[in-house]
Amino acid sequence: MEGMLGLHGWQWIFILEATPSVLFGICTMVGLLPDHPSYFKSPQEAHARMSWLTLEEVSYHFYDTSHAPSCPPPSSINKEEHSINVSPSNVPPPSNGAWLLFMDIVRIVLTWRLWLLGIIMCMASTASYGLGAFLPTIYTENGLSEDVSNLLTTPVSIFSGVVGFLFAKMAEHYKMPRFGSVITSFVSLISWVLFLCCMILPPFNSPIAVMVTASLCTALCALSYPLWMAWMTSYLSGPSAALGVAFVNGIGNAGGIIGPQLLAYSLDVQQSYLWAIEVMTCLAILDWIFTSGLFIFEHQRKKHTARKAMKNKESAVNE
C-alpha cells in the first residue's frame, strides 16, 4: 500500500489499526452499549447483557441510579416485579468517588503480585513485539521477496490467535489459568531456545530452520496473555478491577516499545540481530522462572490457608 492516496505504508498501518477502535468508540458513545443496569427493564435482563457482573451486583446498581442521571428515578421503578431482594435501604448514599478512586490506585500500586505480573507480561511483550516487528526482515534476509515476507506474517498471526484461544479455553475448562501460564511460558521458552540454536549452531543454521523457528517464537509468545488476564483479576474485585487490569497492561505493554528498539539497536550497532535474540531468550527464561515462582508461591499459600482453616475447625469441634 506504499504510495496509495499519497500515504506511506506505515501510515496506512496506523490508519487500519485505529479505524476499528474509533468505530467501536463511536458505537459506544451513541448508546449501543448500556451505561448503567437501570437502562434495562429488570435486573435479570441487565445481568444477561452484563455477564461480567454477578446478579447481586447488577441488582444493587439497578436500584441505585445515583451514577446514572438519565435513568428514571428509583421511585418510578416497580421493584415488586422482580425476585431480587434489594431494597432502597440497601443502597448507600453517594460517597466521595475521588477519594475511593485514590485509595483503589494506592491499593493496586502496593500489590506486589500485580507488579510481578506486569513485569512478566513486559518481558513476554518485549520478545513478542520485537521479533514480530522484524519478522518480515528476517524472512527477506533468508531469501524471500518483500511481498512474500509481508504476506507470511498473516498466517503467523492467525496461528497465534487460534492456538492462544484454544489454550485459554482449555485452561478455563480445567480451571487452571495459573498452571496454564507456567505451561505456555515454558512452551514459549522452548521456541526461543530452538530459534537461538538455529542462529548459532552450524548444523541447524539453515534459512528454512531460522524462518520456521522465528515464526514459532512470534506466534507462541502471546499464548500466556489470556491466562495472565485471568490470573490478575483473581487479585482484584469491584470497580478497582478495571484499574488493576489497566495498571498491569500499562507495565506489560511497555515491551511493545522496548522490543523493536532492542532489535533496531542490535542491527545498527552489532550489525546482526543475534545479540537481540540472545537477550530475548534470556527474557523468556526469566519469564518462565518468575511465572513458575509466582505459581508455586500461590499454591503453597493456598495449602497453608487450607491447613490453617482445618486446624481452626478442629479446634472449634474440640471446644
Side-chain angles (χ1 to χ4, degrees):
M1 300 182 72
E2 178 70 25
M4 185 180 296
L5 299 180
L7 298 175
H8 294 292
W10 65 268
Q11 292 173 314
W12 277 111
I13 291 176
F14 279 99
I15 293 173
L16 294 176
E17 287 188 348
T19 299
S21 301
V22 173
L23 293 178
F24 279 114
I26 294 173
C27 293
T28 303
M29 184 176 63
V30 299
L32 293 183
L33 290 178
D35 293 331
H36 195 272
S38 296
Y39 281 78
F40 298 97
K41 296 180 180 180
S42 67
Q44 289 87 346
E45 182 183 351
H47 181 249
R49 291 286 301 276
M50 299 179 170
S51 57
W52 60 91
L53 297 174
T54 65
L55 186 57
E56 290 75 14
E57 290 171 335
V58 170
S59 303
Y60 173 86
H61 292 288
F62 183 79
Y63 299 115
D64 175 21
T65 57
S66 59
H67 299 290
S70 60
C71 291
S75 59
S76 65
I77 302 175
N78 185 6
K79 302 178 179 61
E80 295 180 356
E81 293 180 357
H82 314 302
S83 59
I84 308 301
N85 184 19
V86 177
S87 62
S89 60
N90 293 333
V91 179
S95 57
N96 190 341
W99 173 252
L100 292 177
L101 177 62
F102 173 76
M103 293 305 297
D104 282 340
I105 294 174
V106 170
R107 183 170 65 86
I108 288 168
V109 171
L110 295 179
T111 304
W112 67 268
R113 285 171 291 186
L114 293 180
W115 278 98
L116 185 56
L117 278 174
I119 293 171
I120 289 171
M121 290 183 65
C122 182
M123 290 189 292
S125 62
T126 297
S128 176
Y129 283 110
L131 186 57
F134 280 83
L135 193 59
T137 303
I138 294 174
Y139 290 156
T140 303
E141 290 183 358
N142 284 277
L144 299 181
S145 66
E146 290 188 5
D147 293 336
V148 174
S149 299
N150 291 325
L151 288 175
L152 277 179
T153 60
T154 301
V156 172
S157 299
I158 294 174
F159 175 77
S160 175
V162 171
V163 175
F165 173 78
L166 293 176
F167 262 92
K169 293 298 291 184
M170 183 177 65
E172 180 185 16
H173 177 74
Y174 292 104
K175 302 186 184 301
M176 57 168 198
R178 300 181 182 185
F179 183 63
S181 299
V182 177
I183 295 175
T184 52
S185 297
F186 183 73
V187 170
S188 177
L189 169 60
I190 294 300
S191 68
W192 277 102
V193 172
L194 289 175
F195 184 32
L196 184 60
C197 290
C198 291
M199 293 287 295
I200 63 177
L201 297 180
F204 306 101
N205 190 3
S206 68
I208 295 179
V210 169
M211 288 188 289
V212 169
T213 52
S215 302
L216 280 176
C217 284
T218 306
L220 298 179
C221 277
L223 285 183
S224 299
Y225 289 158
L227 306 181
W228 285 327
M229 292 294 178
W231 196 340
M232 78 175 75
T233 53
S234 66
Y235 303 137
L236 305 164
S237 62
S240 63
L243 289 173
V245 171
F247 174 74
V248 175
N249 280 337
I251 300 173
N253 287 329
I257 301 174
I258 300 172
Q261 295 299 323
L262 192 64
L263 266 161
Y265 172 81
S266 181
L267 286 172
D268 292 340
V269 177
Q270 307 291 333
Q271 302 300 317
S272 170
Y273 47 79
L274 177 60
W275 177 82
I277 299 305
E278 293 173 346
V279 173
M280 291 179 178
T281 303
C282 292
L283 290 178
I285 295 172
L286 291 174
D287 182 272
W288 177 69
I289 291 174
F290 286 176
T291 303
S292 302
L294 185 57
F295 169 76
I296 293 171
F297 170 82
E298 292 289 347
H299 184 67
Q300 293 298 324
R301 182 170 172 265
K302 186 176 180 180
K303 288 173 62 177
H304 174 73
T305 303
R307 285 196 298 264
K308 187 176 179 180
M310 182 64 69
K311 289 181 180 178
N312 294 336
K313 185 177 180 180
E314 290 176 353
S315 299
V317 171
N318 295 330
E319 292 177 358

